[in-house]
Amino acid sequence: ITEKIFDCFVAGTVPIYLGSKSIYELVPKNCFIDINDFRSFKDLYLFIKSISDKEYLDMQNSISQFLESSKSKQYTDQGYVNAILPTIIEYLK
């Protein structure tokens, strides 16, 4: 996955996601709209048009909870540094 979905999260919007199927292993399903759940763009449009304020707010709350969780920390700048730093240190030895 890329930073784009996290940019949406930080901006406070619910992303419409088209990408890797492994997203479900990394980000909870209730944090985004997966375009693959729809048979056509018309179906996606009808879903977006019909989503209630409460459903949208629930998704935004799920995003906030995810961003505050330890699972999301690996996608921060510090998480990236923590992931690659041991390899760099080992290489420099």
Side-chain angles (χ1 to χ4, degrees):
I1 62 172
T2 68
E3 79 288 348
K4 292 170 187 68
I5 193 167
F6 293 97
D7 290 345
C8 292
F9 292 163
V10 171
T13 189
V14 176
I16 299 172
Y17 182 78
L18 175 60
S20 173
K21 300 278 188 194
S22 67
I23 188 72
Y24 295 109
E25 298 168 17
L26 309 170
V27 177
K29 168 112 175 98
N30 57 355
C31 292
F32 60 94
I33 299 167
D34 188 346
I35 199 168
N36 291 307
D37 290 344
F38 303 90
R39 293 188 330 195
S40 67
F41 286 115
K42 182 178 180 181
D43 289 344
L44 172 63
Y45 168 77
L46 292 172
F47 173 79
I48 294 168
K49 188 174 176 181
S50 69
I51 195 166
S52 70
D53 289 345
K54 182 188 179 322
E55 290 171 308
Y56 194 81
L57 288 172
D58 287 347
M59 292 179 85
Q60 287 180 314
N61 288 332
S62 295
I63 290 168
S64 293
Q65 290 173 2
F66 171 67
L67 290 177
E68 293 171 8
S69 74
S70 60
K71 188 173 182 180
S72 74
K73 300 306 178 215
Q74 64 183 319
Y75 306 111
T76 64
D77 295 344
Q78 188 61 50
Y80 179 71
V81 168
N82 292 343
I84 66 167
L85 192 57
T87 302
I88 293 171
I89 291 171
E90 186 62 31
Y91 177 78
L92 295 174
K93 286 184 180 178

